[in-house]
Amino acid sequence: MDLPRQVIELGDLTLRRFDREADLPELDRVIEESLEHLRPWMSFVAGHSRSRTAEFLGRRHEAWEGGREFTYAIVLGGAIVGACQLFRREGAPENRRELGYWLHPAATGRGVATRAARALVDQAFRLPGVDHVEVVHDPANRASGAVPARLGFTELLRRPAERGGTAGTGEEQVWRLTRQEVAQAAWRLVDD
């Protein structure tokens, strides 16, 4: 089975597969410090607790090994500042992957999410059969929407939200980037 790289070095930024036990204290602290920042957009923060963070990390390990979801710690300056994920939503076609990301508020506005998302796009198109990648977010979350816009994604549609944060619009904005668009734009894949 082809799997994405476990560590992606991007200069001062590293994406790396989470280590269940070792990353628990730091990830839990980063989420705790980010609760107010994330609450409007991320439903997972509503029931935040250390035990739920531990469960999250345990499920990520199993999902990675099963080839379903690839979740990375976003590390800047040696510290975890967020997370990003490449996954196939349940029921989605085999040729589609989705990516998601969130950051500690101190790491926003510096291109970190854009660089992480670009690296995940690169990894998605290394997977056999994947021909498009999507980003889904609440349209009111302009910071999340700026990432796919900067990377050349096209806004595909808006649909009723499956679930969301507390300040959501009740809609999801869906962006798409195809393998062909990446080839035409002559993206340089992250080096092996």
Side-chain angles (χ1 to χ4, degrees):
M1 175 187 315
D2 292 314
L3 299 176
R5 292 170 39 197
Q6 293 189 33
V7 178
I8 303 167
E9 297 288 347
L10 303 167
D12 63 334
L13 181 66
T14 300
L15 308 181
R16 64 166 174 76
R17 183 177 174 179
F18 275 107
D19 180 326
R20 290 186 282 195
E21 292 81 20
D23 287 334
L24 176 59
E26 186 175 10
L27 179 61
D28 187 61
R29 179 189 53 76
V30 170
I31 294 170
E32 186 69 31
E33 291 175 1
S34 304
L35 287 175
E36 293 310 309
H37 171 71
L38 298 174
R39 191 175 319 280
W41 318 116
M42 307 294 235
S43 58
F44 79 89
V45 302
H48 171 70
S49 69
R50 187 179 182 99
S51 64
R52 287 192 67 188
T53 302
E55 290 171 17
F56 168 83
L57 289 172
R59 288 192 312 271
R60 298 296 70 84
H61 180 77
E62 293 166 8
W64 188 296
E65 294 303 316
R68 297 182 310 276
E69 297 178 8
F70 308 101
T71 306
Y72 295 85
I74 301 174
V75 180
L76 184 64
I80 295 174
V81 296
C84 58
Q85 180 181 57
L86 177 64
F87 62 100
R88 187 171 73 86
R89 197 178 286 252
E90 190 172 327
E94 286 289 331
N95 65 338
R96 177 174 67 205
R97 293 298 182 275
E98 189 172 321
L99 59 95
Y101 39 84
W102 65 266
L103 292 173
H104 186 285
T108 62
R110 297 164 45 190
V112 173
T114 301
R115 291 169 62 202
R118 181 180 174 123
L120 291 186
V121 168
D122 291 345
Q123 293 305 302
F125 289 134
R126 292 171 190 259
L127 298 174
V130 173
D131 65 18
H132 62 280
V133 177
E134 293 181 350
V135 171
V136 179
H137 66 91
D138 188 299
N141 188 342
R142 296 193 198 303
S144 280
V147 172
R150 278 192 291 273
L151 293 176
F153 282 65
T154 301
E155 184 177 347
L156 183 64
L157 60 93
R158 291 184 186 210
R159 63 185 181 208
E162 292 180 15
R163 58 180 141 42
T166 59
T169 62
E171 285 188 311
E172 292 177 331
Q173 187 171 354
V174 181
W175 299 78
R176 178 176 285 173
L177 183 67
T178 67
R179 181 184 293 274
Q180 182 179 8
E181 290 168 329
V182 167
Q184 290 171 345
W187 272 35
R188 188 175 77 56
L189 295 179
V190 175
D191 295 331
D192 285 321

